Amino acid sequence: MPGRSGPKTRGCWRGLGAELPSAIAALADGAETLVIVGRGARVLGAVTVADAPRETAAEALAALKAGGGTGILMMTGDRAPVAARIGARLGLADGEIHAGLLPGDKVRLVDAAAARGKMAFIGDGVNDAAALARADVGVAMGVAGSEVALQAADVALMADDLRKLAAARRLSRRTARVIRQNLTIAIGAMAVLVTGSLFFELPLPLAVLGHEGGTLLVVLNGLRLLADPIRARA
């Protein structure tokens, strides 16, 4: 009979009249999940299994941090040793790792983070749905995500590659800069035309050229995003 590691599991085995051998019991508090196999009160064996982070997760988190102004928190329902092992592989500090969380605990952490600034939450499980709905931006993993998580999220990544999230943020920031540039160009062109018409006898062909030229500059500046190297790599 398989069972999860931990004090409750050992109590369950004692209820069946079985005791875990010391070698197996020592594995229960490790950084991997312990699965015990037995028949009746007899323990036949045990095996440990471990989750592995997505191959692109460490690179994606490093890219998000490199973008500046971003804090990373890892929230999981796994035991602390398991979370610490995964967090270390992702390059996270101890203070960034929160383990043994229930769905309500994740919501409280999201609330606390949202009080300090804009908060994006990435998840794929049923237990992440409430936190996804509470965050300023909820991002669900579209490939591996549960139906509940997808419905609660604002954004769904349709590829199992977290690097696309970092690329999307970089591209969105560049898009915002281009929009501000376009507004400056458009307002500047209109200011010149209005000033010219009020204080000078601006010829109609020149006014049309200035108006349409400003529009053309805005369009050409926006088209630069199509050749953006970040977008191409994503």
Side-chain angles (χ1 to χ4, degrees):
M1 177 182 294
R4 292 185 177 181
S5 60
K8 291 183 179 180
T9 298
R10 291 195 288 273
C12 176
W13 279 96
R14 281 194 293 268
L16 294 174
E19 288 292 337
L20 296 182
S22 58
I24 295 179
L27 298 174
D29 297 323
E32 298 180 347
T33 300
L34 177 64
V35 180
I36 304 167
V37 180
R39 177 176 297 169
R42 181 184 177 190
V43 176
L44 299 179
V47 63
T48 59
V49 295
D51 291 328
R54 288 182 171 87
E55 294 180 359
T56 60
E59 184 180 347
L61 293 182
L64 287 171
K65 286 186 175 181
T70 301
I72 305 293
L73 294 177
M74 174 181 170
M75 305 180 193
T76 177
D78 286 332
R79 295 180 297 112
V82 178
R85 178 179 60 81
I86 297 295
R89 293 184 60 178
L90 296 177
L92 298 177
D94 291 340
E96 297 174 324
I97 302 172
H98 300 271
L101 302 180
L102 296 174
D105 299 324
K106 294 182 180 180
V107 172
R108 283 189 288 274
L109 281 173
V110 170
D111 277 331
R116 298 190 296 269
K118 294 296 183 181
M119 171 70 177
F121 184 90
I122 307 169
D124 60 7
V126 174
N127 292 339
D128 298 324
L132 285 167
R134 169 59 187 87
D136 295 300
V137 179
V139 182
M141 302 301 296
V143 175
S146 66
E147 184 66 25
V148 176
L150 290 173
Q151 291 179 359
D154 302 297
V155 179
L157 293 180
M158 300 313 295
D160 192 19
D161 187 349
L162 287 172
R163 292 174 301 182
K164 294 186 180 296
L165 182 63
R169 190 188 69 165
R170 292 194 299 267
L171 182 58
S172 66
R173 285 181 170 180
R174 189 162 190 267
T175 301
R177 289 196 298 269
V178 169
I179 290 173
R180 288 192 293 268
Q181 293 167 5
N182 285 343
L183 288 173
T184 301
I185 293 172
I187 294 173
M190 291 301 297
V192 170
L193 292 176
V194 170
T195 301
S197 63
L198 289 176
F199 299 100
F200 306 97
E201 291 187 3
L202 193 66
L204 180 60
L206 187 58
V208 172
L209 180 61
H211 181 273
E212 299 304 326
T215 302
L216 183 60
L217 284 176
V218 167
V219 172
L220 291 176
N221 191 46
L223 288 175
R224 291 191 301 117
L225 291 172
L226 295 177
D228 190 275
I230 295 174
R231 180 178 181 274
R233 287 197 300 270

